[in-house]
Amino acid sequence: MNRGELRTAALANLMIPTNESQLVSIINQELNAAVNAYLQIVISNYKNKLAGFEEIGNFVPALIAQDTIVTTSGTSDYALNSDVREVLSVLLNGKKVGLIDITEDYLELYRPADFPVNEWVTARRYGEKLILSPTQEDGLVIDYRYIKEPTEMTADGNIPEVPPEHQYRLYNYACYMAAKIGVQPISGLAPEYFMDLFNSGIRIEPDESE
């Protein structure tokens, strides 16, 4: 489905005529927000170890990418591609290394030179940089797999980078957000009904019994 078709589906769910032009920009905006909300749930499932890499690939196949960096002796900081949303894994010469996301506060407290040096190589992702510690010799290959930032839908012919079987989530999310900001669904359905359809089967909750 393209953006125009998704918007039509959202308005049909709300039982609002498609000629309600004042809703067009709202629904268009929320469809883009829906892609980001969908992607964030997928990332959260992975980071919380509730889903593996193959499952993530099934949810966002168009957004999985891979690139390589070649190490330089004494260098710890390496630039990531500008389209990186989330780094999923890092390999150094074919061996997986630990991956940690750090904040600016952490970076200020622990400069790369102060990171512990041991037999385990660690990659720390900070913004658009990958910080490798300890530093390595020349010519080693860093392979990193990542999720790309989705392309914003700016025209009705644009197709979201979400598999067709999950695109119904997007227009249900748009319905939820429209209802939350005051659009009254003629259908009489509560906003939560649409959010339940968005979340169902994708939002994995931790098993608190373990």
Side-chain angles (χ1 to χ4, degrees), residues 35 39 60-65 146-151 161-162:
V35 174
L39 185 53
V60 287
L63 294 175
I64 299 291
Y146 66 98
I147 293 178
K148 299 188 294 183
E149 288 284 1
T151 302
E161 293 162 307
V162 171

Side-chain angles (χ1 to χ4, degrees), residues 13-27:
N13 267 7
L14 295 168
M15 295 185 68
I16 293 175
T18 56
N19 61 0
E20 293 287 341
S21 58
Q22 67 268 29
L23 288 179
V24 169
S25 62
I26 294 174
I27 298 297

Side-chain angles (χ1 to χ4, degrees), residues 21-48:
S21 58
Q22 67 268 29
L23 288 179
V24 169
S25 62
I26 294 174
I27 298 297
N28 286 348
Q29 179 180 342
E30 297 305 337
L31 286 170
N32 279 311
V35 174
N36 280 286
Y38 170 89
L39 185 53
Q40 199 53 47
I41 292 174
V42 171
I43 291 171
S44 178
N45 289 341
Y46 181 82
K47 293 181 73 173
N48 292 324

Side-chain angles (χ1 to χ4, degrees), residues 60-113:
V60 287
L63 294 175
I64 299 291
Q66 181 171 331
D67 205 355
T68 60
I69 301 169
V70 178
T71 60
T72 301
S73 178
T75 299
S76 59
D77 293 19
Y78 297 92
L80 295 169
N81 286 345
S82 60
D83 63 350
V84 170
R85 171 71 169 263
E86 187 74 29
V87 178
L88 299 173
S89 64
V90 178
L91 301 178
L92 180 64
N93 267 19
K95 294 183 179 180
K96 189 173 182 178
V97 302
L99 176 63
I100 305 170
D101 281 331
I102 62 174
T103 64
E104 185 174 0
D105 290 341
Y106 186 98
L107 189 67
E108 289 303 313
L109 287 171
Y110 303 99
R111 304 305 303 172

Side-chain angles (χ1 to χ4, degrees), residues 132-144:
L132 203 63
S133 62
T135 58
Q136 304 294 305
E137 61 189 88
D138 277 331
L140 301 185
V141 177
I142 302 170
D143 290 295
Y144 66 98

Side-chain angles (χ1 to χ4, degrees), residues 183-204:
V183 176
Q184 296 298 320
I186 298 174
S187 61
L189 295 170
E192 289 70 26
Y193 169 82
F194 301 112
M195 183 52 76
D196 286 344
L197 291 173
F198 171 75
N199 283 323
S200 178
I202 185 174
R203 186 181 291 279
I204 305 173

